[in-house]
Amino acid sequence: YLAEYLNDLGVLYAEVRFAPQQHQLAGLSQKEVIEAVVDGMKRAEKDFPEVTLRLINCLMHKGPDADFNMKENMETVEATKETLGKYVVALDLAGYENTGDFMKYAPLFEKAHEYGIPYTIHSGEMGDGSHLLDALKMGAYRIGHGIHCVDNPEWLKAMVDTQIPMEVCVSSNVGLVRDYASHPVRKMLE
């Protein structure tokens, strides 16, 4: 369905994010979950050859801090290493930013770096904007959202100075707290 929908929209390339650790209820390993998704992408490619789909496996923010699901996140890193290739292209850290020490996620990205896995880190969206600086310290290739960079001149300067791309999805950021008119994307572009 996703490939058909994207095809109808005229999308040519999409990176699909999903958390394999969230799809193990039937007893599959994370690697098996990833392989099942890749098989689906291959079938979709045959039906909709104009759309190129690639997969980004998500590590998850869960619980009060990174320790809460460190084991599951490290399994995601290992499963990504084993499946990295034409379809699996990167890792991501996603989910609601918890309030614990953000640098506790560093071992995950040290391992990803060791394995040559590119990664995005969602930071500065829902949690403390200072997480942006932590994400930069952890070597993020891209920052997911990062909208709170405008809240502090130091954070904003770090983003400008490093020129790390930010994946900003305005429709994902709006809701009860923010509306389209007050979204900081215009300020970010400035």
Side-chain angles (χ1 to χ4, degrees):
Y1 173 77
L2 177 61
E4 181 179 9
Y5 175 72
L6 294 172
N7 185 68
D8 291 348
L9 290 175
V11 172
L12 301 176
Y13 179 83
E15 293 175 340
V16 179
R17 289 173 161 81
F18 96 117
Q21 63 187 261
Q22 305 280 83
H23 299 276
Q24 295 184 276
L25 292 179
L28 296 175
S29 70
Q30 288 193 45
K31 182 181 177 191
E32 291 168 329
V33 170
I34 294 166
E35 289 169 341
V37 172
V38 168
D39 286 345
M41 293 172 99
K42 288 176 181 176
R43 286 193 311 273
E45 188 176 69
K46 289 178 184 169
D47 293 338
F48 303 97
E50 299 296 319
V51 180
T52 299
L53 296 173
R54 295 297 179 257
L55 190 62
I56 296 179
N57 296 326
C58 292
L59 307 169
M60 294 302 297
H61 292 289
K62 284 186 175 181
D65 65 28
D67 293 332
F68 184 82
N69 69 323
M70 183 60 76
K71 178 179 177 271
E72 292 84 357
N73 280 336
M74 192 57 81
E75 288 175 21
T76 304
V77 172
E78 294 296 330
T80 300
K81 174 191 172 201
E82 294 176 32
T83 56
L84 191 66
K86 180 179 178 183
Y87 289 93
V88 177
V89 297
L91 274 171
D92 188 4
L93 174 61
Y96 189 85
E97 291 173 61
N98 52 43
T99 56
D101 180 358
F102 204 73
M103 289 303 292
K104 284 188 172 188
Y105 290 104
L108 299 165
F109 297 108
E110 289 167 5
K111 187 60 75 175
H113 182 76
E114 176 186 324
Y115 292 156
I117 303 170
Y119 49 89
T120 295
I121 301 176
H122 277 65
S123 60
E125 177 190 13
M126 300 172 202
D128 182 355
S130 68
H131 290 165
L132 289 163
L133 300 180
D134 294 333
L136 294 175
K137 287 178 197 169
M138 289 186 269
Y141 291 65
R142 298 186 297 203
I143 299 291
H145 302 289
I147 60 174
H148 285 291
C149 70
V150 299
D151 296 347
N152 179 301
E154 178 188 3
W155 306 337
L156 184 58
K157 181 176 181 346
M159 295 310 300
V160 171
D161 289 350
T162 61
Q163 292 292 292
I164 299 294
M166 287 193 278
E167 306 165 340
V168 178
C169 181
V170 176
S171 62
S172 174
N173 301 140
V174 299
L176 297 174
V177 178
R178 182 176 285 115
D179 59 23
Y180 285 101
S182 64
H183 192 282
V185 71
R186 288 177 191 86
K187 188 171 182 181
M188 292 170 75
L189 287 170
E190 290 172 12

